[in-house]
Amino acid sequence: MHISISAEPIFHIGSFPFTNSMLAAWLVFGILSILAYFATKRMEQVPKGIQNIFEYIIEALFNLTNGIMKDRKLTKKIFPLIATFFIFILLNNWMGLIPGFGSIGFHETNAEGKNVLVPLLRAGTADLNTTIALAVVTVITVQILGITAIGIRKYAGKFINFSSPVNFFVGIIELVSEVSRIISYSFRLFGNVFAGEVLLAVMSTLVPYVIPLPFYIMEIFVGAVQALVFTMLSIVFMSMATVAHSESH
Amino acid sequence: MDALHNLGVDPKLLIAQGINFGLLLFILYKLLYRPILKILEDRSKKIEKSLENAEEIEKKLVDIKETEKEVIGKAKGKATEIISEAREAIEETKASMIKDAGIKAKKIIENAVDEAEKEKLAILAEVKNEIAGVVEKSVIAFMEADYKNVNLKLTEDALSDAKKVGI
């Protein structure tokens, strides 16, 4: 059994390696776009079917965001990003559980001369590139929100503060934590999803029938929890960034 | 950086995934979030408005009921007034009618009495004439028949008879 920690390229476009996780991410992109199109194609005041489902999801996410932000105007600003995080991550996590992901592919001789199976599809979130990209988007948004909410001088004052040695040191720590957030964010999501996939692969190899089932159920749960954790943390950081640092802190 | 490379991190892929996500964000914003949030807001506004309207309608209903009661009360009062007025008017008319009828009856009786009196007088005159005629005729007949044998007593009898009748 071969498990690769990185996504494997399935073909190259020039020097650009098109990986299996990229293909899955595009698949999610396509499915979501089509669903969104049909959900709002014929909007009705009394919703039915797919419109109803999306209304429910969006309203629940909006209320969740608004519950933390406690500012309807700000919520409206960040909501599209938050909702997309949740839906995109959730679908990617769950897609990885569909049979065929990781098992359908082609054989290739790797650098070590071994014949390995390169899966055609791999969950988007089981690739560090995706999770880091998401984390970077979050951190950049947090900075922009902070600057627009309390002004660049005050916001920069959070990190660069010469009022006292303690404050200066706290500022440095804040700055480091801002950067480390990218790492903690991306690795948490990647680690959970990738570990889940490895677990399932191992279990399925050891006992192909029945036994992997509880693990599948657990992974469905983990997928939802990780999507929620990423989303919630994003909302919390965004809401924190919009509040000026109090002097007593 | 080597560690990241070992984990499969490739700046090219990273940027591509970022762009992918950005595109998805844009499409979902245009296709999903904006229309659905709009419809949700519209709906909540509509519900708010209907609730307000319902409250207003209820208030109006209470007002209407009160006005109804008031109007009905007023109408009842007026009706009693009208009825009593009508009764009074009827009473008055009745009295005046009875009075008129009395006067008229009196007049008729008076007229009838007058008429009877006149009739009586006319009859009497006629009777007088007729008796006078009869007397004249009989006198003439008597005189023409045998005036020589006129019985004075007979003449006296005739005259007394006439007196009895009242001429």
Side-chain angles (χ1 to χ4, degrees):
Chain A
M1 194 176 63
H2 168 79
I3 295 168
S4 166
I5 199 162
S6 59
E8 294 122 313
I10 41 178
F11 60 86
H12 286 82
I13 305 168
S15 65
F16 182 81
F18 198 89
T19 58
N20 40 18
S21 70
M22 185 76 100
L23 184 63
W26 276 103
L27 209 63
V28 169
F29 180 104
I31 290 169
L32 277 177
S33 304
I34 291 165
L35 282 178
Y37 173 73
F38 282 111
T40 54
K41 193 180 170 195
R42 249 174 283 141
M43 297 277 275
E44 279 171 52
Q45 272 298 336
V46 180
K48 259 188 269 171
I50 192 167
Q51 187 195 337
N52 206 358
I53 295 167
F54 274 100
E55 270 189 22
Y56 171 73
I57 296 169
I58 286 172
E59 198 169 21
L61 281 173
F62 191 88
N63 289 340
L64 176 83
T65 316
N66 199 37
I68 297 169
M69 296 298 285
K70 292 188 174 65
D71 182 344
R72 222 178 153 74
K73 229 173 153 187
L74 261 175
T75 306
K76 269 192 176 167
K77 245 189 224 172
I78 65 158
F79 175 71
L81 185 69
I82 297 297
T84 312
F85 272 146
F86 183 77
I87 298 169
F88 180 74
I89 294 169
L90 185 71
L91 215 64
N92 264 309
N93 290 354
W94 282 353
M95 280 256 286
L97 301 175
I98 296 171
F101 267 69
S103 54
I104 298 173
F106 50 88
H107 286 276
E108 207 181 58
T109 314
N110 66 359
E112 291 157 20
K114 277 186 186 163
N115 191 19
V116 292
L117 176 80
V118 177
L120 208 57
L121 289 162
R122 174 190 174 113
T125 39
D127 177 5
L128 254 179
N129 290 308
T130 317
T131 58
I132 291 177
L134 293 178
V136 168
V137 169
T138 310
V139 170
I140 290 173
T141 313
V142 167
Q143 311 313 316
I144 293 170
L145 262 180
I147 291 166
T148 51
I150 57 174
I152 192 158
R153 276 180 68 108
K154 262 193 180 172
Y155 191 72
K158 269 186 183 183
F159 307 112
I160 305 155
N161 196 330
F162 295 110
S163 59
S164 73
V166 174
N167 279 347
F168 176 75
F169 207 67
V170 167
I172 298 287
I173 290 171
E174 288 265 2
L175 199 62
V176 171
S177 85
E178 236 21 75
V179 178
S180 71
R181 222 175 258 170
I182 298 176
I183 298 163
S184 70
Y185 246 29
S186 51
F187 274 83
R188 181 186 305 114
L189 182 58
F190 164 73
N192 272 288
V193 178
F194 181 66
E197 280 184 9
V198 172
L199 175 70
L200 285 178
V202 171
M203 290 311 292
S204 303
T205 323
L206 291 176
V207 193
Y209 303 104
V210 184
I211 300 297
L213 193 69
F215 292 96
Y216 260 106
I217 294 167
M218 193 187 80
E219 282 316 311
I220 290 173
F221 180 68
V222 169
V225 167
Q226 283 311 313
L228 195 67
V229 164
F230 194 98
T231 313
M232 290 280 273
L233 282 175
S234 302
I235 306 169
V236 170
F237 289 140
M238 283 173 198
S239 103
M240 268 162 59
T242 55
V243 182
H245 226 260
S246 61
E247 287 304 312
S248 59
H249 189 65
Chain B
M1 276 325 218
D2 235 22
L4 281 178
H5 187 75
N6 286 340
L7 287 167
V9 176
D10 183 341
K12 277 186 221 158
L13 285 170
L14 209 149
I15 290 164
Q17 289 285 21
I19 290 168
N20 183 13
F21 179 78
L23 244 122
L24 181 68
L25 174 67
F26 176 75
I27 286 174
L28 288 186
Y29 175 67
K30 283 267 172 203
L31 280 179
L32 198 65
Y33 308 139
R34 211 167 49 175
I36 284 189
L37 283 178
K38 195 175 168 284
I39 210 166
L40 285 176
E41 208 156 294
D42 283 355
R43 198 177 298 146
S44 62
K45 266 185 198 162
K46 223 179 198 177
I47 289 168
E48 224 165 81
K49 216 179 172 187
S50 350
L51 283 177
E52 262 172 36
N53 280 349
E55 231 167 72
E56 218 165 272
I57 286 166
E58 222 159 89
K59 260 188 205 165
K60 269 188 184 163
L61 203 72
V62 170
D63 278 358
I64 285 168
K65 269 188 183 162
E66 262 171 35
T67 325
E68 198 182 288
K69 262 187 197 169
E70 218 170 273
V71 167
I72 286 173
K74 266 187 191 169
K76 264 187 186 166
K78 222 168 199 180
T80 352
E81 212 172 277
I82 286 168
I83 287 168
S84 66
E85 262 172 29
R87 258 189 204 143
E88 265 169 39
I90 286 166
E91 235 22 73
E92 260 170 40
T93 325
K94 204 171 132 189
S96 78
M97 271 169 102
I98 288 168
K99 208 175 159 191
D100 279 0
I103 292 165
K104 251 181 192 171
K106 218 176 171 186
K107 234 180 203 173
I108 288 166
I109 291 165
E110 270 170 14
N111 280 348
V113 168
D114 277 1
E115 205 86 353
E117 201 68 28
K118 270 179 194 169
E119 200 103 331
K120 191 180 148 193
L121 285 177
I123 289 168
L124 273 179
E126 213 167 295
V127 166
K128 230 183 200 176
N129 281 343
E130 230 159 83
I131 286 171
V134 165
V135 169
E136 201 184 283
K137 267 177 190 169
S138 54
V139 168
I140 289 166
F142 185 74
M143 282 166 103
E144 273 178 357
D146 191 8
Y147 62 87
K148 281 172 188 170
N149 299 325
V150 171
N151 196 341
L152 200 74
K153 206 182 173 252
L154 267 177
T155 313
E156 269 172 11
D157 282 352
L159 275 171
S160 76
D161 276 354
K163 238 177 211 174
K164 260 182 210 170
V165 176
I167 304 166

